[in-house]
Amino acid sequence: MPFKTLKTKRAPLTLEELAASIERRKAEWRAREETVIDMAELGGELAARREAGGIPQLPRNAGTDRTPSKQALLDEIAKLGAKW
């Protein structure tokens, strides 16, 4: 038989179980929304981990193989005063 019908063996949810499941998911999302990452603190932690792990400071790409469109984009960024 090439095709098989898949059937679930679970019993249907009651309204109470469904409501409880929805409330659990809402609580999970609220907990995620309340999580705020302080980027300055994270940067400090990462720098400390790199130093402790002996990871060297790698040089940035020299940028000698830029396409004309990429170079134009970087020139416009530089005009705005940002450093890329």
Side-chain angles (χ1 to χ4, degrees):
M1 181 180 238
F3 297 103
K4 189 174 184 179
T5 304
L6 298 176
K7 296 181 180 179
T8 60
K9 301 288 183 183
R10 290 188 302 192
L13 290 175
T14 64
L15 288 178
E16 292 80 16
E17 292 169 334
L18 181 60
S21 173
I22 291 170
E23 289 304 315
R24 278 194 307 273
R25 289 183 182 168
K26 284 182 180 178
E28 289 172 3
W29 278 105
R30 280 192 294 271
R32 289 180 190 162
E33 290 173 355
E34 294 171 1
T35 303
V36 177
I37 297 173
D38 180 10
M39 297 308 279
E41 181 181 327
L42 178 63
E45 290 175 11
L46 290 175
R49 288 170 59 187
R50 281 190 199 110
E51 187 177 324
I55 300 172
Q57 194 70 352
L58 299 174
R60 291 189 65 129
N61 185 343
T64 55
D65 290 331
R66 302 259 191 240
T67 61
S69 61
K70 178 68 173 201
Q71 190 59 52
L73 174 65
L74 294 176
D75 292 341
E76 291 299 318
I77 292 172
K79 285 180 189 175
L80 295 174
K83 182 181 176 188
W84 177 252

